[in-house]
Amino acid sequence: MTPLLTGLDHVQIEAPAGCEPQARAFYGGVLGLPELRKPAPLEARGGCWFALPDGRQLHVGVTPEFQPRRKGHPAFRTADLAAVQAHLDAHGIPHQTDAEAGVPRAFFQDPFGNRLEIVQGGHPAGPLPTR
């Protein structure tokens, strides 16, 4: 049987109106993600989209009455967390690290106060046994 879901296409981060310059500077400049052209019917809504190296996308969408997400967050992957930490330090971006979930990781915030995570490798979780 073919699975209903075949993967993850994109993650959307919420941001306030007028966020585009800061989003481009942070996600494009600091994190080095190339910006993607949004479909024409969606351009008027504001925000911007970025490509991730694995083919997935990160969308920054404008939300009325924006509130930063302090718990829910995307988790990016890296092969070298120490290099990411040094890069964040060089840009003056505070971060906290731990390995509590079984993988080295760092938490930090985007310019809008949204929580972000970067993990080295990937989480070691596996499927639950079937009942």
Side-chain angles (χ1 to χ4, degrees):
M1 178 178 200
T2 303
L4 287 175
L5 305 178
T6 59
L8 179 67
D9 182 77
H10 71 274
V11 171
Q12 182 159 339
I13 298 282
E14 296 178 39
C19 67
E20 296 81 6
Q22 284 182 290
R24 288 182 177 109
F26 182 77
Y27 289 104
V30 175
L31 297 184
L33 300 176
E35 187 172 354
L36 299 169
R37 181 178 307 277
K38 289 179 64 172
L42 303 180
E43 287 178 358
R45 296 180 185 176
C48 39
W49 294 5
F50 299 91
L52 296 169
D54 64 4
R56 293 178 176 101
Q57 298 176 8
L58 175 73
H59 297 178
V60 178
V62 172
T63 301
E65 300 177 28
F66 168 73
Q67 293 292 315
R69 299 298 172 239
R70 305 276 188 215
K71 176 89 173 158
H73 62 277
F76 304 105
R77 286 188 175 166
T78 184
D80 187 350
L81 187 59
V84 170
Q85 290 173 276
H87 186 75
L88 294 173
D89 288 341
H91 285 88
I93 299 170
H95 53 88
Q96 300 80 41
T97 59
D98 69 36
E100 186 177 344
V103 62
R105 61 189 184 166
F107 291 97
F108 59 105
Q109 294 180 353
D110 73 3
F112 317 111
N114 292 309
R115 183 181 196 197
L116 303 174
E117 179 181 359
I118 295 185
V119 300
Q120 184 170 303
H123 286 283
L128 291 171
T130 56
R131 298 175 192 213

